[in-house]
Structures are given as C-alpha cells and as structure tokens.
Amino acid sequence: MEEVVAKVDEFEDGDMREVEVGDVTVLLVRLEGQFYAVGGECTHFGAPLADGVIHNGSVRCPWHQACFDATSGELEEPPALDALSKFKARVEADEVIVTVPDGAKNESLPDMVEQDLEGDGRVFVIIGGGAAGHSAAESLRQSGFQGEIKLLTAGDHPPYDRTQLSKYNMANDSDRLPALRSEEFYEEADVQLLTGQEVTGLEVDGKKVTLSDGQTLNYDRLLIATGASPNELPVPGKELENVFTLREPEDLKKINQKAESSANVTIIGSSFIGMEAASSLSGRDLDVTVVSLTKAPFENVLGEKIGEVYQATHSENGVNFEMESSVKSFKGNGVIEEVELESGKTIPSDFVIMGVGVRPATGFLKDSLELNEDGGVPVDEHLRVTEDIYAAGDVASFRDWRTDDEIRVEHWRLAQQQGRVAGKNMAGQATKFRSLPLFWTNQFDIYLRYVGYADDWDEIVFDGDPSSKEFIAYYVSDGEVVAIAGSNSNLEMAALAELMEEGQIPD
C-alpha cells in the first residue's frame, strides 16, 4: 500500500512524525535531507516513538528508553528485543510517499547467522537465563557466532521478563509467564535452552562447569550471568508458611493465591520490590503495611524528599507504614499470623513479602574465581573476567566509564545492555561497555525514570517541586551530575539520557 503522508516542506532536518499507512503506524523521519520510514511503535511495550527523542540518527523511546536507528530500524539499546520494520519512503514533487507491503508488521527480528558446526566447532556456555544471559545468546548470533550455544537456567521455564512480576502481574492477579521469546525462537536460533540446570562448580583451567546432577559441560568461552538471590531476614519464624520472597514466577503464583483469601499483608522493605508490591496489592482489597528501617521509602536510592512523596502517595491509597522499624520475629503456629517489631508492636499478617535486597548468585564460584566482598565478579571494560570468561548483569562489578568508580548495578535494563555487549565480545567484536544504567517504576500517579548511578551524593538539585509529582532531580557529586531522576517527565528524561551519554550535562 502506498500513501502520501506529508509535504516535504513540513519537515526540517531532525523532525519526526507519526503517520498511518493502512493499518500500520509508521515513524517518518527526515535526516540530512532524506526521508526514512520505520515502525512507529516501540517493540517493547508499544510506546509511540514520535513522542520520544531523536538525536544523532537514533530514536529513543519515551517510556523505557529503548533506542533504534532511525534510518534502518535496527535495535541499538534494550529493553526492546526486536528491531523496527523498515519501509520505503520517496519524494515525488513536493510530496512524501511511504510504501508498506501487505501484511507488514511494526517490528522485525534482528538479523542472526545460522549455526555452522563444521565451520565453527566452538562451544559457548551461558550460565543464567535472565536478562543478561538471554541477551547474550541473541547477541552472539547477531554478531556472527556460528558455533554451539548452551544457555543454562536453574528454573524450569524459559527466560522471562522478571520486571513484570511486581510491576504488573501482581496487580492483575496474573500468573502468566511473561516469556521473552517462544521456545520455537530458540530452536530456530539454534540456542540450546537447558532448563532446570543449576551450576555448582567451575574449573577454570579445565574449561568446564559442573551441574547439580553431577554432569560436566566443556566450554570454549563462558558467560556468568546468574543474577541475584533474594535475602532473607535472620529472625525467628522466617521459616513459617506464607512468608515469601519474590524472585521467580512460582513465588508470584503463591502470593497471588494467598492474596485471594487474605485480609492482611505485611511487606518488609521499602525499596523497589517492596513498594511496587505494596502499590500492586493495595488495589486488591487487602490491608497493606510496609515495614522499613529507613525514614522514608527509597531513601538510599532517591533521597528522603522524594521518598516522602512516595510515602504520602501510598498512604493516600490506603497503604500503612512502620518506618524506622525493624522486625524482631515472625509469629504463628506453623503459619505466619503476625509480625513482631523490635518496638513490641505486632502487625496481623496473613502473609508476608520480604523485599530486603538481593545478593549476587555467585556462591558456586568461591573456589574458582576471585570475588569482591559482596560476591560480585570483577570485569574489565569488555566485561571480561579472564581470557575466556565473561560476566554480565547483577553479578558483574565494573568500572563506571563516567567516574571510574567500581560499581555493581541490579537493574533489568542494564543486565540486557551488558548481555548484548558480552555477546559481541565473546564473538570477537571488541566492544567496550559504555551504556548508562536506567530503571523505571510506575506507582499510582508517579511515573519515575532514573538514569546514571549514584550510591552517594553531595546534594540534589530539583527542577520542580517533588510534592507536585512533576519534577527532575539532579544528583550531584564533586560538582558533577552523576544521576538524574524524573517523575512524569518522560520526554525530558529521554533527552537528558542522550546528553548524559555524550557527557553534555551541565555541571
């Protein structure tokens, strides 16, 4: 189908606009005098890309900041997995005409090479089927690796979008597994997806890993992407029934089932898992109480002032808080009945969710690799641990290219970014990791985006009043902006991310 979608003089260089060709939404872009047409909706969650930012030939999604090449549709940054379809755009007289083939879709699979074991007999093993491991497997095929790929995951399910457990599926009482790809995809990409395979040991010199059933796998190159394990509180009663952590789909299923027949839930911890769970469960006819050591939610990540806005918003929606409080014990006769605080106060609880942080799942490496004190695996700028071992995601301790500080970041999108870069390096395409950490959280009417990284800061400079829930917060350390958080300001945050990547944020 062909349609005239615009006049040439309606566009200046760098302009983009959403147009419709038949039933397909198209993003029309003018760059260096040429017109280009690609799919108009982000392949992650369908955000209109015309509401985002275009810069240096790339389009950044306004919702979760996936990035695409505006001329080809090629995927440049996650959390999207698929590229945008590319359509033909041409100019006749003063009109722009776009052609969309019948049956065309908004998205297309990235190009991947086929396996060729005669040409490349190497075996690459990826330990961990989370964001980093899955991204690395795809990246290997996209980067020309034609050998054997073994993707090991300890769970009994294929890689899935963990962010949806607390952000969406709990609120909707859904146990649907948000799989990243179909099983057919892994077959077509010749990625051996080995579920239910826990790695218990690594022999560096012998280049092999040991599985929990005693099997061993040899590798030529290895990626460690085992993610993190949830912490538990070392208090009496933690073994009682209906005391949950939230890390796997099985955890969510138990929580959803219990929520259907319960009146009270206590959430331990006021960071992301805890607060997103509180937001989700507050709409399900439950009395929700959050217990936290800090003065305000997210205090250590976003600062006290923003945390107070979150607390007030949650309170307005019926969530109760016990701040600056610690748990003394969980009480009940085999089943949790109440949470006892150190103050002596007790909270009736039909079930408990513990959101008290995570730790790198690297215990199996303690005798084979040198780990940091927190269990992180040190990597270089190419995410390499040793000559043939790489690490990515929650386990990787890496140098922040902006500050040279060694950091370890537990963000879903960053794990995807590192997985993509690790795959390129394993395939022989030397690529330095130069991406920005980013996370997002949507709770009630606060839609927050955060770019950069700051575990400490000298001051927070606000553009806007946090209490209005429309603001941008600049985290300043030694006179430099090292992180930015923005609420209900998606377009500005997308633009600021572009500037931060180029080192153009004002001091």
Side-chain angles (χ1 to χ4, degrees):
M1 174 179 291
E2 285 189 351
E3 285 195 18
V4 176
V5 295
K7 298 286 189 181
V8 171
D9 60 8
E10 294 173 350
F11 280 73
E12 295 183 1
D13 251 28
D15 284 351
M16 61 180 178
R17 180 192 302 175
E18 182 180 292
V19 298
E20 299 292 330
V21 180
D23 59 357
V24 177
T25 299
V26 174
L27 183 71
L28 183 65
V29 177
R30 185 175 184 175
L31 292 172
E32 298 182 355
Q34 299 293 315
F35 283 89
Y36 302 92
V38 295
E41 298 173 336
C42 180
T43 60
H44 180 225
F45 271 9
L49 292 174
D51 291 346
V53 168
I54 185 167
H55 183 62
N56 288 341
S58 295
V59 176
R60 186 178 289 260
C61 169
W63 290 0
H64 307 110
Q65 299 202 13
C67 296
F68 305 89
D69 186 305
T71 65
S72 67
E74 180 182 348
L75 176 66
E76 296 178 335
E77 287 277 15
L81 300 179
D82 290 333
L84 302 171
S85 294
K86 181 180 180 180
F87 307 114
K88 182 179 179 181
R90 72 181 193 277
V91 174
E92 290 188 4
D94 63 344
E95 295 179 329
V96 184
I97 301 170
V98 173
T99 303
V100 175
D102 292 341
K105 296 181 179 180
N106 174 78
E107 72 280 348
S108 63
L109 285 174
D111 293 333
M112 294 188 288
V113 299
E114 294 183 358
Q115 181 174 271
D116 179 11
L117 299 184
E118 292 185 2
D120 190 341
R122 292 177 297 169
V123 177
F124 286 5
V125 173
I126 300 171
I127 310 175
H134 170 268
S135 294
E138 290 202 20
S139 180
L140 282 169
R141 288 288 185 240
Q142 293 165 18
S143 302
F145 177 67
Q146 294 183 286
E148 194 171 354
I149 301 174
K150 296 180 183 292
L151 177 58
L152 313 181
T153 177
D156 295 325
H157 31 67
Y160 62 93
D161 186 346
R162 181 171 283 123
T163 68
Q164 293 195 41
L165 299 188
S166 61
K167 294 180 188 290
Y168 308 108
N169 286 28
M170 188 182 294
N172 298 325
D173 184 21
S174 172
D175 296 329
R176 178 185 64 84
L177 181 69
L180 293 173
R181 294 294 195 189
S182 66
E183 292 185 16
E184 291 76 19
F185 173 87
Y186 297 103
E187 293 175 4
E188 293 174 4
D190 287 311
V191 173
Q192 296 181 42
L193 177 60
L194 305 175
T195 59
Q197 299 292 342
E198 182 181 0
V199 176
T200 57
L202 166 64
E203 187 178 320
V204 175
D205 292 337
K207 288 192 173 184
K208 63 182 179 182
V209 294
T210 303
L211 306 183
S212 56
D213 62 4
Q215 292 186 72
T216 60
L217 291 177
N218 295 316
Y219 65 84
D220 291 284
R221 286 188 174 169
L222 176 73
L223 175 66
I224 301 166
T226 43
S229 301
N231 294 327
E232 294 182 352
L233 287 179
V235 299
K238 63 182 177 64
E239 74 286 346
L240 290 174
E241 188 176 341
N242 298 330
V243 175
F244 304 116
T245 56
L246 178 58
R247 187 69 181 175
E248 303 292 345
E250 293 80 6
D251 301 327
L252 176 67
K253 184 174 182 179
K254 293 175 183 177
I255 290 169
N256 277 336
Q257 289 175 342
K258 190 59 187 174
E260 285 298 302
S261 59
S262 297
N264 305 287
V265 56
T266 299
I267 297 168
I268 314 300
S270 64
S271 196
F272 292 96
I273 289 296
M275 292 296 285
E276 287 178 351
S279 174
S280 297
L281 291 172
S282 67
R284 295 182 59 180
D285 197 26
L286 285 164
D287 189 3
V288 181
T289 300
V290 174
V291 177
S292 176
L293 291 171
T294 59
K295 292 175 63 176
F298 304 119
E299 181 180 355
N300 298 329
V301 179
L302 300 175
E304 186 175 344
K305 188 172 289 188
I306 296 176
E308 289 172 348
V309 174
Y310 270 98
Q311 183 173 345
T313 301
H314 276 251
S315 296
E316 291 165 3
N317 286 274
V319 177
N320 306 302
F321 286 90
E322 294 290 340
M323 304 304 292
E324 298 184 272
S325 298
S326 58
V327 175
K328 182 177 182 180
S329 68
F330 298 127
K331 291 189 170 183
N333 185 18
V335 179
I336 185 68
E337 296 175 6
E338 60 185 21
V339 175
E340 180 186 18
L341 304 182
E342 289 287 356
S343 65
K345 183 175 181 177
T346 57
I347 306 170
S349 306
D350 296 310
F351 66 105
V352 168
I353 299 174
M354 287 194 287
V356 291
V358 297
R359 62 191 183 280
T362 55
F364 71 101
L365 299 172
K366 65 182 186 298
D367 296 327
S368 53
L369 291 177
E370 188 172 330
L371 304 178
N372 287 346
E373 187 175 343
D374 68 349
V377 182
V379 299
D380 66 12
E381 60 187 358
H382 295 94
L383 303 178
R384 186 169 40 221
V385 183
T386 67
E387 183 177 357
D388 293 311
I389 299 177
Y390 296 76
D394 293 358
V395 302
S397 294
F398 62 99
R399 290 284 176 186
D400 186 333
W401 57 270
R402 301 167 308 137
T403 65
D404 200 40
D405 292 335
E406 185 175 13
I407 62 176
R408 190 178 59 79
V409 180
E410 297 160 354
H411 297 168
W412 174 260
R413 183 176 183 268
L414 186 98
Q416 290 181 303
Q417 291 169 311
Q418 290 190 337
R420 284 168 57 86
V421 172
K424 291 179 181 180
N425 283 302
M426 292 172 73
Q429 295 185 6
T431 306
K432 295 179 181 180
F433 181 69
R434 287 292 185 271
S435 295
L436 276 180
L438 175 142
F439 66 78
W440 67 89
T441 183
N442 301 335
Q443 298 173 36
F444 302 112
D445 58 348
I446 306 176
Y447 297 85
L448 186 124
R449 304 292 180 264
Y450 178 107
V451 296
Y453 178 83
D455 62 357
D456 195 11
W457 54 84
D458 300 325
E459 63 174 325
I460 304 176
V461 179
F462 286 97
D463 179 3
D465 181 0
S467 64
S468 72
K469 303 178 187 177
E470 293 187 15
F471 63 85
I472 297 174
Y474 298 86
Y475 296 79
V476 180
S477 179
D478 293 330
E480 299 292 332
V481 175
V482 292
I484 308 170
S487 173
N488 297 323
S489 52
N490 287 350
L491 179 63
E492 293 87 343
M493 288 301 297
L496 287 166
E498 290 285 341
L499 292 172
M500 183 173 279
E501 282 194 344
E502 293 189 349
Q504 296 299 315
I505 294 292
D507 61 18

